[in-house]
Coordinates of all heavy atoms in Angstrom, one line a residue:
M1 N 0.9 -1.2 0.0 CA 0.0 0.0 0.0 C 0.9 1.2 0.0 O 1.9 1.3 0.8 CB -0.9 0.0 1.2 CG -1.9 1.0 1.3 SD -3.3 0.8 2.4 CE -2.4 0.8 4.0
P2 N 0.6 2.2 -0.8 CA 1.4 3.4 -0.9 C 1.4 4.2 0.5 O 0.4 4.1 1.2 CB 0.7 4.3 -2.0 CG -0.1 3.3 -2.8 CD -0.5 2.2 -1.8
K3 N 2.5 4.9 0.7 CA 2.6 5.7 1.9 C 1.5 6.8 2.0 O 1.1 7.3 0.9 CB 4.0 6.3 2.0 CG 4.5 6.7 3.3 CD 5.9 7.1 3.3 CE 6.3 7.5 4.6 NZ 7.5 6.8 5.1
N4 N 1.1 7.1 3.2 CA 0.1 8.2 3.4 C -1.3 7.9 2.8 O -1.9 8.8 2.3 CB 0.6 9.5 3.0 CG 1.9 10.0 3.8 OD1 1.9 9.7 5.0 ND2 2.8 10.6 3.1
T5 N -1.7 6.7 2.7 CA -3.0 6.3 2.2 C -3.8 5.6 3.3 O -3.2 5.1 4.3 CB -2.8 5.4 0.9 OG1 -2.2 4.2 1.3 CG2 -2.1 6.1 -0.2
S6 N -5.0 5.4 3.0 CA -5.9 4.7 4.0 C -6.6 3.6 3.2 O -7.2 3.8 2.2 CB -6.9 5.7 4.5 OG -7.8 5.1 5.3
P7 N -6.6 2.4 3.8 CA -7.3 1.3 3.1 C -8.8 1.4 3.3 O -9.3 2.0 4.2 CB -6.8 0.1 3.8 CG -6.5 0.5 5.2 CD -6.0 2.0 5.0
N8 N -9.6 0.9 2.4 CA -11.0 0.8 2.4 C -11.3 -0.6 2.9 O -11.3 -1.6 2.2 CB -11.6 1.1 1.1 CG -13.1 1.2 1.1 OD1 -13.7 1.2 2.2 ND2 -13.8 1.2 0.0
L9 N -11.7 -0.8 4.2 CA -11.9 -2.1 4.8 C -13.4 -2.4 4.7 O -14.3 -1.5 4.7 CB -11.5 -2.1 6.2 CG -10.0 -1.8 6.5 CD1 -9.7 -1.8 8.0 CD2 -9.1 -2.9 5.8
P10 N -13.7 -3.7 4.7 CA -15.1 -4.1 4.6 C -15.8 -3.9 5.9 O -15.2 -3.7 7.0 CB -15.1 -5.6 4.3 CG -13.8 -6.0 4.8 CD -12.8 -4.8 4.7
L11 N -17.1 -3.8 5.9 CA -17.9 -3.8 7.1 C -17.7 -5.0 7.9 O -17.9 -6.1 7.5 CB -19.4 -3.6 6.8 CG -20.4 -3.6 7.9 CD1 -20.2 -2.4 8.8 CD2 -21.8 -3.6 7.4
V12 N -17.2 -4.9 9.2 CA -16.8 -6.1 10.0 C -17.9 -6.5 11.0 O -17.7 -7.4 11.7 CB -15.5 -5.9 10.7 CG1 -14.4 -5.7 9.6 CG2 -15.5 -4.7 11.6
T13 N -19.0 -5.7 11.1 CA -20.0 -6.0 12.1 C -20.5 -7.4 12.1 O -20.7 -7.9 13.2 CB -21.2 -5.0 11.8 OG1 -20.8 -3.7 11.7 CG2 -22.3 -5.2 12.9
F14 N -20.6 -8.0 11.0 CA -21.2 -9.4 11.0 C -20.2 -10.5 10.9 O -20.5 -11.7 10.8 CB -22.2 -9.5 9.8 CG -23.3 -8.4 9.9 CD1 -23.3 -7.4 9.0 CD2 -24.2 -8.5 10.9 CE1 -24.3 -6.4 9.1 CE2 -25.2 -7.5 11.0 CZ -25.2 -6.5 10.1
Y15 N -18.9 -10.2 11.0 CA -17.9 -11.2 11.1 C -18.0 -11.9 12.5 O -18.0 -11.1 13.5 CB -16.5 -10.6 10.9 CG -16.1 -10.3 9.5 CD1 -16.9 -9.4 8.8 CD2 -15.0 -10.8 8.9 CE1 -16.6 -9.1 7.5 CE2 -14.6 -10.5 7.6 CZ -15.4 -9.7 6.9 OH -15.1 -9.3 5.6
P16 N -18.0 -13.2 12.6 CA -18.1 -13.8 13.9 C -17.1 -13.4 15.0 O -17.4 -13.3 16.1 CB -18.0 -15.3 13.6 CG -18.3 -15.4 12.1 CD -17.9 -14.2 11.5
M17 N -15.9 -13.2 14.6 CA -14.8 -12.9 15.5 C -14.9 -11.4 16.0 O -14.3 -11.1 17.0 CB -13.4 -13.1 15.0 CG -13.1 -14.6 14.8 SD -11.4 -15.0 14.4 CE -11.2 -14.2 12.8
E18 N -15.6 -10.6 15.3 CA -15.8 -9.2 15.7 C -16.3 -9.0 17.1 O -15.8 -8.2 17.9 CB -16.7 -8.4 14.7 CG -17.1 -7.0 15.1 CD -16.0 -6.0 15.2 OE1 -14.8 -6.3 15.0 OE2 -16.3 -4.8 15.5
A19 N -17.3 -9.7 17.5 CA -17.9 -9.6 18.8 C -17.9 -10.9 19.6 O -18.7 -11.2 20.5 CB -19.4 -9.1 18.7
S20 N -16.9 -11.7 19.3 CA -16.7 -13.0 20.0 C -16.6 -12.8 21.5 O -16.0 -11.8 21.9 CB -15.5 -13.8 19.4 OG -15.3 -14.9 20.2
K21 N -17.1 -13.7 22.2 CA -17.0 -13.7 23.7 C -15.6 -14.1 24.1 O -15.2 -13.8 25.2 CB -18.0 -14.5 24.4 CG -19.4 -14.0 24.1 CD -20.4 -14.7 25.0 CE -21.9 -14.3 24.8 NZ -22.1 -12.9 24.7
K22 N -14.8 -14.7 23.2 CA -13.5 -15.1 23.5 C -12.5 -14.1 23.0 O -12.4 -13.7 21.9 CB -13.2 -16.4 22.7 CG -14.0 -17.6 23.2 CD -13.7 -18.8 22.4 CE -14.6 -20.0 22.8 NZ -14.4 -21.2 22.0
E23 N -11.7 -13.5 24.0 CA -10.8 -12.4 23.7 C -9.8 -12.8 22.7 O -9.4 -12.0 21.8 CB -10.1 -11.9 25.0 CG -9.3 -10.7 24.7 CD -8.7 -10.1 25.9 OE1 -8.7 -10.7 27.0 OE2 -8.1 -9.0 25.8
E24 N -9.3 -14.1 22.7 CA -8.3 -14.5 21.8 C -8.8 -14.4 20.3 O -8.0 -14.1 19.4 CB -7.7 -15.9 22.1 CG -8.7 -17.0 22.1 CD -9.4 -17.3 23.4 OE1 -9.3 -16.5 24.4 OE2 -10.2 -18.3 23.5
E25 N -10.1 -14.7 20.1 CA -10.6 -14.6 18.8 C -10.7 -13.2 18.3 O -10.4 -12.8 17.2 CB -12.0 -15.3 18.7 CG -12.0 -16.8 18.8 CD -13.3 -17.4 18.7 OE1 -14.3 -16.7 18.5 OE2 -13.4 -18.7 18.7
R26 N -11.2 -12.3 19.3 CA -11.2 -10.8 18.9 C -9.8 -10.3 18.6 O -9.6 -9.5 17.7 CB -11.9 -10.1 20.1 CG -13.4 -10.3 20.2 CD -14.0 -9.3 21.2 NE -13.3 -9.1 22.4 CZ -13.5 -9.8 23.5 NH1 -14.3 -10.8 23.6 NH2 -12.8 -9.4 24.6
L27 N -8.8 -10.7 19.4 CA -7.5 -10.2 19.2 C -6.9 -10.7 17.9 O -6.1 -10.0 17.2 CB -6.6 -10.6 20.4 CG -6.8 -9.7 21.6 CD1 -5.9 -10.2 22.7 CD2 -6.5 -8.2 21.3
K28 N -7.3 -11.9 17.5 CA -6.8 -12.5 16.2 C -7.3 -11.6 15.1 O -6.6 -11.2 14.1 CB -7.3 -13.9 16.0 CG -6.8 -14.5 14.7 CD -7.2 -16.0 14.6 CE -6.7 -16.6 13.3 NZ -7.2 -18.0 13.1
M29 N -8.6 -11.2 15.1 CA -9.2 -10.3 14.1 C -8.6 -8.9 14.2 O -8.2 -8.3 13.2 CB -10.7 -10.3 14.2 CG -11.3 -9.4 13.2 SD -13.1 -9.6 13.3 CE -13.6 -8.5 11.9
A30 N -8.4 -8.4 15.4 CA -7.8 -7.1 15.6 C -6.4 -7.0 15.1 O -6.0 -6.0 14.5 CB -7.9 -6.7 17.1
T31 N -5.7 -8.1 15.2 CA -4.3 -8.1 14.7 C -4.3 -8.0 13.2 O -3.5 -7.3 12.6 CB -3.6 -9.4 15.2 OG1 -3.6 -9.4 16.6 CG2 -2.2 -9.4 14.6
K32 N -5.2 -8.7 12.5 CA -5.3 -8.6 11.1 C -5.7 -7.1 10.7 O -5.1 -6.6 9.7 CB -6.4 -9.6 10.6 CG -6.6 -9.5 9.1 CD -5.4 -10.0 8.3 CE -5.7 -10.1 6.9 NZ -4.5 -10.4 6.1
I33 N -6.7 -6.6 11.3 CA -7.1 -5.2 11.0 C -6.0 -4.2 11.2 O -5.7 -3.3 10.4 CB -8.4 -4.8 11.8 CG1 -9.6 -5.7 11.4 CG2 -8.7 -3.3 11.5 CD1 -10.8 -5.5 12.3
A34 N -5.3 -4.4 12.4 CA -4.2 -3.5 12.8 C -3.0 -3.5 11.8 O -2.3 -2.6 11.7 CB -3.7 -3.8 14.2
S35 N -2.9 -4.6 11.1 CA -1.8 -4.8 10.2 C -1.9 -3.8 9.0 O -0.9 -3.6 8.3 CB -1.7 -6.2 9.7 OG -2.7 -6.5 8.7
Y36 N -3.0 -3.2 8.8 CA -3.2 -2.2 7.7 C -2.8 -0.8 8.1 O -2.9 0.1 7.2 CB -4.6 -2.3 7.2 CG -5.0 -3.6 6.6 CD1 -5.9 -4.5 7.2 CD2 -4.5 -4.0 5.4 CE1 -6.2 -5.7 6.7 CE2 -4.9 -5.2 4.8 CZ -5.7 -6.0 5.5 OH -6.1 -7.3 4.9
G37 N -2.5 -0.5 9.3 CA -2.2 0.8 9.7 C -1.3 1.0 10.8 O -0.8 0.0 11.4
D38 N -1.0 2.2 11.2 CA -0.1 2.5 12.3 C -0.8 3.2 13.5 O -0.2 3.2 14.6 CB 1.0 3.5 11.8 CG 1.8 2.9 10.7 OD1 2.2 1.7 10.8 OD2 2.1 3.6 9.7
I39 N -1.9 3.8 13.3 CA -2.6 4.5 14.3 C -4.1 4.1 14.3 O -4.6 3.7 13.2 CB -2.5 6.0 14.3 CG1 -3.0 6.6 13.0 CG2 -1.0 6.5 14.5 CD1 -3.1 8.1 13.0
F40 N -4.8 4.3 15.4 CA -6.2 4.0 15.4 C -6.9 5.3 15.9 O -6.6 5.8 17.0 CB -6.5 2.9 16.4 CG -8.0 2.6 16.5 CD1 -8.7 1.8 15.6 CD2 -8.7 3.0 17.6 CE1 -10.0 1.6 15.7 CE2 -10.0 2.8 17.8 CZ -10.7 2.0 16.8
V41 N -7.9 5.8 15.1 CA -8.7 6.9 15.5 C -10.2 6.5 15.4 O -10.6 6.1 14.4 CB -8.4 8.2 14.6 CG1 -9.3 9.3 15.0 CG2 -7.0 8.5 14.6
C42 N -10.9 6.6 16.5 CA -12.3 6.3 16.5 C -13.1 7.6 16.6 O -13.0 8.4 17.5 CB -12.6 5.4 17.7 SG -14.4 5.0 17.8
D43 N -14.0 7.7 15.6 CA -14.9 8.9 15.6 C -16.3 8.5 15.7 O -17.2 9.2 15.5 CB -14.7 9.7 14.3 CG -14.8 11.2 14.6 OD1 -14.8 11.6 15.7 OD2 -14.8 11.9 13.6
A44 N -16.5 7.2 16.1 CA -17.9 6.7 16.2 C -18.3 6.6 17.6 O -18.3 5.6 18.3 CB -17.9 5.2 15.6
F45 N -18.8 7.8 18.1 CA -19.2 7.9 19.5 C -20.2 6.8 19.9 O -20.1 6.3 21.0 CB -19.7 9.3 19.8 CG -20.1 9.5 21.2 CD1 -19.2 9.7 22.2 CD2 -21.5 9.4 21.6 CE1 -19.5 9.9 23.5 CE2 -21.8 9.6 22.9 CZ -20.9 9.8 23.9
G46 N -21.1 6.5 19.0 CA -22.2 5.5 19.4 C -21.7 4.1 19.6 O -22.5 3.3 20.0
T47 N -20.5 3.8 19.2 CA -20.0 2.4 19.3 C -18.7 2.3 20.2 O -18.2 1.2 20.4 CB -19.6 1.9 17.9 OG1 -18.6 2.7 17.3 CG2 -20.8 1.8 17.0
V48 N -18.3 3.4 20.8 CA -17.0 3.3 21.6 C -17.1 2.4 22.8 O -16.1 2.0 23.3 CB -16.5 4.7 22.0 CG1 -16.1 5.6 20.8 CG2 -17.5 5.4 22.9
H49 N -18.3 2.1 23.2 CA -18.5 1.3 24.4 C -18.5 -0.2 24.1 O -18.4 -1.0 25.0 CB -19.9 1.6 25.0 CG -21.0 1.2 24.2 ND1 -21.4 1.9 23.0 CD2 -21.8 0.1 24.2 CE1 -22.4 1.3 22.5 NE2 -22.7 0.2 23.1
R50 N -18.4 -0.6 22.8 CA -18.5 -2.0 22.4 C -17.1 -2.7 22.6 O -16.1 -2.2 22.2 CB -18.9 -2.1 21.0 CG -20.4 -1.7 20.8 CD -20.8 -1.9 19.4 NE -22.1 -1.3 19.2 CZ -22.6 -1.0 18.0 NH1 -21.9 -1.2 16.9 NH2 -23.8 -0.5 17.9
D51 N -17.1 -3.8 23.2 CA -15.9 -4.6 23.3 C -15.8 -5.5 22.1 O -16.1 -6.7 22.2 CB -15.9 -5.5 24.6 CG -14.6 -6.1 24.9 OD1 -13.6 -5.7 24.3 OD2 -14.5 -7.0 25.8
A52 N -15.4 -4.9 21.0 CA -15.3 -5.7 19.7 C -13.9 -5.6 19.2 O -13.1 -4.7 19.6 CB -16.3 -5.0 18.8
A53 N -13.6 -6.5 18.3 CA -12.2 -6.5 17.7 C -11.8 -5.2 17.1 O -10.7 -4.7 17.3 CB -12.1 -7.6 16.7
S54 N -12.7 -4.6 16.4 CA -12.4 -3.3 15.7 C -12.4 -2.1 16.6 O -11.9 -1.0 16.2 CB -13.4 -3.1 14.5 OG -14.7 -3.0 15.0
M55 N -13.0 -2.2 17.8 CA -13.2 -1.0 18.6 C -12.1 -1.0 19.8 O -11.5 0.0 20.1 CB -14.6 -0.9 19.2 CG -15.6 -0.7 18.2 SD -15.4 0.8 17.2 CE -15.5 2.1 18.4
T56 N -12.0 -2.1 20.5 CA -11.0 -2.2 21.6 C -9.8 -3.0 21.3 O -8.8 -2.8 21.8 CB -11.7 -2.8 22.8 OG1 -12.3 -4.1 22.5 CG2 -12.9 -1.9 23.3
G57 N -10.0 -4.0 20.3 CA -8.8 -4.9 20.0 C -7.7 -4.2 19.2 O -6.6 -4.3 19.5
V58 N -8.1 -3.4 18.2 CA -7.1 -2.7 17.4 C -6.2 -1.8 18.2 O -5.0 -1.8 18.1 CB -7.8 -2.0 16.2 CG1 -6.7 -1.2 15.4 CG2 -8.4 -3.0 15.2
P59 N -6.8 -0.9 19.0 CA -5.9 0.0 19.8 C -5.0 -0.8 20.8 O -3.9 -0.5 21.1 CB -6.8 0.9 20.6 CG -8.2 0.6 20.2 CD -8.2 -0.5 19.2
K60 N -5.6 -2.0 21.3 CA -4.8 -2.8 22.2 C -3.6 -3.4 21.4 O -2.5 -3.4 21.9 CB -5.7 -4.0 22.7 CG -5.0 -4.8 23.8 CD -5.9 -5.9 24.3 CE -7.0 -5.3 25.2 NZ -7.8 -6.3 25.8
V61 N -3.8 -3.8 20.2 CA -2.7 -4.4 19.4 C -1.7 -3.3 19.0 O -0.5 -3.5 19.1 CB -3.3 -5.0 18.1 CG1 -2.1 -5.4 17.1 CG2 -4.1 -6.3 18.4
L62 N -2.2 -2.1 18.6 CA -1.3 -1.0 18.3 C -0.6 -0.3 19.4 O 0.4 0.4 19.3 CB -2.0 0.0 17.4 CG -2.5 -0.4 16.1 CD1 -3.4 0.6 15.4 CD2 -1.4 -0.8 15.2
G63 N -1.2 -0.5 20.6 CA -0.6 0.1 21.8 C -1.2 1.4 22.2 O -1.0 1.9 23.3
Q64 N -2.1 1.9 21.4 CA -2.8 3.1 21.8 C -3.9 3.4 20.7 O -3.9 2.9 19.6 CB -1.9 4.3 21.8 CG -1.2 4.7 20.5 CD -0.2 5.8 20.7 OE1 -0.2 6.5 21.8 NE2 0.6 6.0 19.7
G65 N -4.9 4.3 21.1 CA -5.9 4.7 20.2 C -6.3 6.1 20.5 O -6.0 6.6 21.6
F66 N -7.0 6.8 19.6 CA -7.3 8.2 19.8 C -8.8 8.4 19.5 O -9.4 7.7 18.6 CB -6.4 9.1 18.9 CG -5.0 8.8 19.1 CD1 -4.3 8.0 18.3 CD2 -4.3 9.5 20.1 CE1 -2.9 7.7 18.5 CE2 -2.9 9.3 20.3 CZ -2.2 8.4 19.5
C67 N -9.3 9.5 20.1 CA -10.7 9.9 19.8 C -10.6 10.9 18.6 O -9.7 11.7 18.5 CB -11.3 10.7 20.9 SG -12.4 9.7 21.9
G68 N -11.5 10.8 17.7 CA -11.6 11.7 16.6 C -12.3 13.0 17.0 O -12.8 13.1 18.2
Y69 N -12.4 14.0 16.1 CA -13.0 15.3 16.5 C -14.5 15.2 16.8 O -14.9 15.8 17.8 CB -12.9 16.2 15.3 CG -11.4 16.6 15.0 CD1 -10.8 16.3 13.8 CD2 -10.7 17.3 16.0 CE1 -9.5 16.6 13.6 CE2 -9.3 17.6 15.7 CZ -8.8 17.3 14.5 OH -7.5 17.6 14.3
L70 N -15.3 14.3 16.1 CA -16.7 14.2 16.4 C -16.9 13.5 17.8 O -17.8 13.9 18.6 CB -17.4 13.5 15.3 CG -17.4 14.2 14.0 CD1 -18.1 13.3 12.9 CD2 -18.2 15.5 14.1
A71 N -16.1 12.5 18.1 CA -16.3 11.8 19.4 C -15.9 12.8 20.5 O -16.5 12.8 21.5 CB -15.4 10.6 19.4
K72 N -14.8 13.6 20.3 CA -14.4 14.6 21.3 C -15.5 15.6 21.5 O -15.8 16.0 22.6 CB -13.1 15.2 20.9 CG -12.6 16.2 21.9 CD -11.3 16.9 21.5 CE -10.8 17.9 22.6 NZ -11.8 18.7 23.2
K73 N -16.1 16.0 20.4 CA -17.2 17.0 20.5 C -18.4 16.5 21.4 O -18.9 17.2 22.2 CB -17.7 17.4 19.1 CG -18.7 18.5 19.1 CD -19.1 18.8 17.6 CE -20.1 19.9 17.6 NZ -20.5 20.2 16.2
E74 N -18.7 15.2 21.2 CA -19.8 14.6 22.0 C -19.3 14.5 23.5 O -20.1 14.8 24.4 CB -20.0 13.1 21.5 CG -20.7 13.1 20.2 CD -22.2 13.2 20.2 OE1 -22.8 13.2 21.3 OE2 -22.8 13.2 19.1
L75 N -18.1 14.1 23.7 CA -17.6 14.0 25.1 C -17.6 15.4 25.8 O -17.9 15.6 27.0 CB -16.2 13.4 25.2 CG -16.2 11.9 24.8 CD1 -14.7 11.5 24.6 CD2 -16.9 11.1 25.8
D76 N -17.2 16.4 25.0 CA -17.2 17.8 25.6 C -18.6 18.3 26.0 O -18.7 19.0 26.9 CB -16.6 18.8 24.5 CG -15.1 18.6 24.4 OD1 -14.4 17.9 25.2 OD2 -14.5 19.1 23.4
C77 N -19.6 17.8 25.2 CA -21.0 18.2 25.6 C -21.4 17.6 26.9 O -22.0 18.3 27.7 CB -21.9 17.7 24.5 SG -21.9 18.7 23.0
F78 N -20.9 16.4 27.2 CA -21.2 15.8 28.5 C -20.5 16.5 29.6 O -20.9 16.5 30.8 CB -20.8 14.3 28.5 CG -21.8 13.4 27.7 CD1 -21.4 12.8 26.6 CD2 -23.1 13.3 28.2 CE1 -22.3 12.0 25.9 CE2 -24.0 12.5 27.5 CZ -23.6 11.9 26.3
A79 N -19.3 17.0 29.4 CA -18.5 17.7 30.4 C -19.1 19.0 30.9 O -18.8 19.5 31.9 CB -17.1 17.9 29.9
Q80 N -20.0 19.6 30.1 CA -20.6 20.9 30.5 C -21.7 20.8 31.5 O -22.4 19.9 31.7 CB -21.2 21.6 29.2 CG -20.1 21.9 28.2 CD -20.7 22.5 27.0 OE1 -21.9 22.7 26.8 NE2 -19.8 22.9 26.0

């Protein structure tokens, strides 16, 4: 993949390992997803609470994750 590009990944919601109750299955999928990038930014405020491969597993594999601008805006509203 060329430098400074972003891959177009498929919708992973319905993959069995995405929401598996077994952490090792979620981490296996998260490792595959994480192999496509260097950083994780989540801007989906409505899904940040889900313990899924694409939401919690990828940042775990990469070592960190970040909130996007829209998620931060939502959190700032709660702080007021």
Side-chain angles (χ1 to χ4, degrees):
M1 187 165 61
K3 201 171 181 125
N4 298 322
T5 62
S6 176
N8 186 11
L9 300 176
L11 177 65
V12 297
T13 305
F14 302 109
Y15 284 56
M17 290 190 295
E18 167 69 356
S20 174
K21 296 192 184 309
K22 297 178 181 175
E23 184 176 12
E24 62 272 5
E25 288 182 1
R26 291 192 313 272
L27 283 177
K28 182 177 179 182
M29 182 173 180
T31 300
K32 178 66 174 173
I33 296 169
S35 73
Y36 295 108
D38 300 317
I39 61 170
F40 177 81
V41 179
C42 179
D43 217 10
F45 180 78
T47 61
V48 296
H49 67 283
R50 295 184 185 160
D51 191 14
S54 62
M55 295 304 296
T56 57
V58 174
K60 189 179 286 186
V61 170
L62 293 175
Q64 62 185 349
F66 304 94
C67 262
Y69 294 116
L70 295 176
K72 183 181 180 319
K73 187 175 177 181
E74 292 276 355
L75 291 171
D76 288 346
C77 285
F78 284 115
Q80 294 178 359

